[in-house]
Amino acid sequence: MPTNRNKEAALRYVQKNATAKMLDDTPCGKALIALGLNGKVNEVGEEITKIWRIASARYIAAASGNITAFVDRADERSTFCTTELNEILQNPAITRINNIEKNSFARNFKPERY
């Protein structure tokens, strides 16, 4: 079953790296969390998941350079698998994921099926 392991690793990374940000750190992410619209994709419902996916796609559209993604054993239903990876591949300003050329990363990335 999916765990919070990747989210916890991302939070630790952001705490140690002042320039690193997560969607949760943006005004949009903070507002969604304040409204109680957060949780695992398979727990919050389709409409809330859709809102987060839209916010995530917009966040990725504004990103550039190397993206650090905490996606070890990522659930195939996760926002990374269903939205973010495709958005990263479409964004010409993003060149790398976890210091790997983004297309190479995508070819080798294997999500988990739960």
Side-chain angles (χ1 to χ4, degrees):
M1 287 304 288
T3 68
N4 288 330
R5 188 180 68 245
N6 287 329
K7 177 87 171 204
E8 291 166 2
L11 290 168
R12 285 190 303 274
Y13 180 82
V14 168
Q15 289 173 345
K16 292 179 183 178
N17 296 278
T19 60
K21 299 283 183 234
M22 293 173 45
L23 178 57
D24 297 16
D25 300 320
T26 68
C28 178
K30 288 178 181 179
L32 292 172
I33 291 168
L35 290 169
L37 303 177
N38 58 322
K40 292 179 183 177
V41 169
N42 61 330
E43 295 174 353
V44 296
E46 189 175 320
E47 290 302 313
I48 294 170
T49 298
K50 187 184 292 186
I51 292 167
W52 276 100
R53 287 183 175 153
I54 291 168
S56 184
R58 291 179 180 171
Y59 185 63
I60 295 293
S64 63
N66 180 57
I67 299 296
T68 302
F70 293 86
V71 293
D72 182 46
R73 300 188 67 201
D75 184 334
E76 67 182 354
R77 300 167 294 179
S78 71
T79 300
F80 181 80
C81 293
T82 61
T83 303
E84 293 173 344
L85 183 56
N86 186 52
E87 294 294 327
I88 290 167
L89 295 173
Q90 291 183 38
N91 181 341
I94 297 174
T95 56
R96 303 176 81 70
I97 304 170
N98 297 343
N99 293 312
I100 300 167
E101 191 277 326
K102 67 182 181 182
N103 292 300
S104 179
F105 179 94
R107 278 190 303 276
N108 294 302
F109 177 70
K110 304 289 184 247
E112 294 289 320
R113 177 170 260 174
Y114 293 96

